[in-house]
Amino acid sequence: KIAPAFRATVAAQLAHFATRIDNGRCVYFSPEGTISGDGHFGRVRSGFFQLCHAAAAPPWIQSMALGYDCLAPGRLRAVIRIGEHFRADPSLDRRRFDATLRRAILALEPVTPSHLLARFLLQGPPAFTGDELGDWFVRSLAVLRARDASLDPLWSRMPAQVLAARRLRWLQRKRLVRRGNAGFHNTCPRDSAPGWRTWAGVVRYLDNNLGDLAPDLPPC
């Protein structure tokens, strides 16, 4: 019963946004339509495709992406990347249009130290040293830089070994690792569901996110 009125409301909103674009204004659109619940980039919704075809001329698109560095002391760090603008291609069908948009956003999303920490905690060895974590950071960064991946600027401001040592102290306080006689023991539950309510859930969320950004990192 409510579907016709709901669709009419959405159509009116899209027409309003198209008019604003035709008048030279900017419109912000979230392609997923929501915040990811598990860290993976979700399905691109149809609204953006419809909007680009409702405008009088193919609009310019300027993609942006956010990366979170939350496995760290202090306030939550968010790294924002803004891409080069490009014209929407009206010749693309919905599937290719969505794929183009998805690629543009994922290419921008920066890999933060928290992403690599999450991968190491979930897929790394149960016992390790700080040097081993730092060395894996170095190997992973080499792969990412060779692919010209988007990186958190913190990686260029601090040596990987120093960053690993600092983060390990914080991970101890959050009981995600435990210091032993010869190094550290990984105490992060590997079966946690992704989410933001527990640190183990945050770790799983970030690891899922990293799987979209860099599926070919070296083994931990």
Side-chain angles (χ1 to χ4, degrees):
K1 291 180 180 180
I2 68 172
F6 179 77
R7 293 193 185 101
T9 298
V10 172
Q13 291 171 341
L14 289 173
H16 171 72
F17 293 145
T19 299
R20 293 182 68 84
I21 290 175
D22 293 339
N23 291 334
R25 305 297 292 274
C26 294
V27 173
Y28 172 82
F29 238 77
S30 177
E32 297 172 273
T34 185
I35 297 174
S36 172
D38 60 6
H40 288 297
F41 191 101
R43 177 174 63 88
V44 176
R45 303 289 176 166
S46 65
F48 197 50
F49 177 79
Q50 295 177 43
L51 175 61
C52 289
H53 283 78
W60 288 99
I61 299 173
Q62 186 159 40
S63 51
M64 63 176 290
L66 230 64
Y68 294 105
D69 186 24
C70 43
L71 300 181
R75 293 182 177 181
L76 169 66
R77 292 181 64 247
V79 185
I80 302 174
R81 293 287 194 203
I82 308 294
E84 296 292 332
H85 62 285
F86 60 94
R87 281 277 191 188
D89 186 349
S91 70
L92 298 179
D93 60 20
R94 167 80 189 284
R95 182 184 297 274
R96 289 187 296 162
F97 181 91
D98 290 354
T100 299
L101 190 60
R102 178 188 176 91
R103 284 195 302 271
I105 294 173
L106 288 179
L108 286 174
E109 188 170 349
V111 177
T112 69
S114 291
H115 281 116
L116 295 192
L117 280 172
R119 173 59 51 85
F120 195 87
L121 288 172
L122 290 182
Q123 301 188 23
F128 61 94
T129 66
D131 286 342
E132 288 171 341
L133 174 60
D135 289 344
W136 183 74
F137 276 2
V138 171
R139 296 198 309 274
S140 298
L141 288 171
V143 171
L144 292 167
R145 287 179 175 130
R147 293 177 52 234
D148 198 26
S150 179
L151 294 175
D152 185 337
L154 187 60
W155 289 116
S156 61
R157 297 201 299 261
M158 186 179 300
Q161 295 285 4
V162 174
L163 198 151
R166 292 185 178 181
R167 294 298 173 96
L168 280 170
R169 289 195 291 270
W170 183 86
L171 292 174
Q172 286 182 80
R173 294 199 297 272
K174 299 303 178 182
R175 299 181 180 179
L176 293 172
V177 301
R178 175 172 52 84
R179 189 167 191 108
N181 294 330
F184 297 88
H185 294 281
N186 184 350
T187 56
C188 180
R190 301 194 178 194
D191 58 351
S192 295
W196 291 93
R197 294 183 180 275
T198 66
W199 287 116
V202 172
V203 169
R204 173 61 66 184
Y205 186 100
L206 291 170
D207 184 62
N208 287 347
N209 186 215
L210 183 61
D212 289 342
L213 305 179
D216 55 351
L217 289 179
C220 302

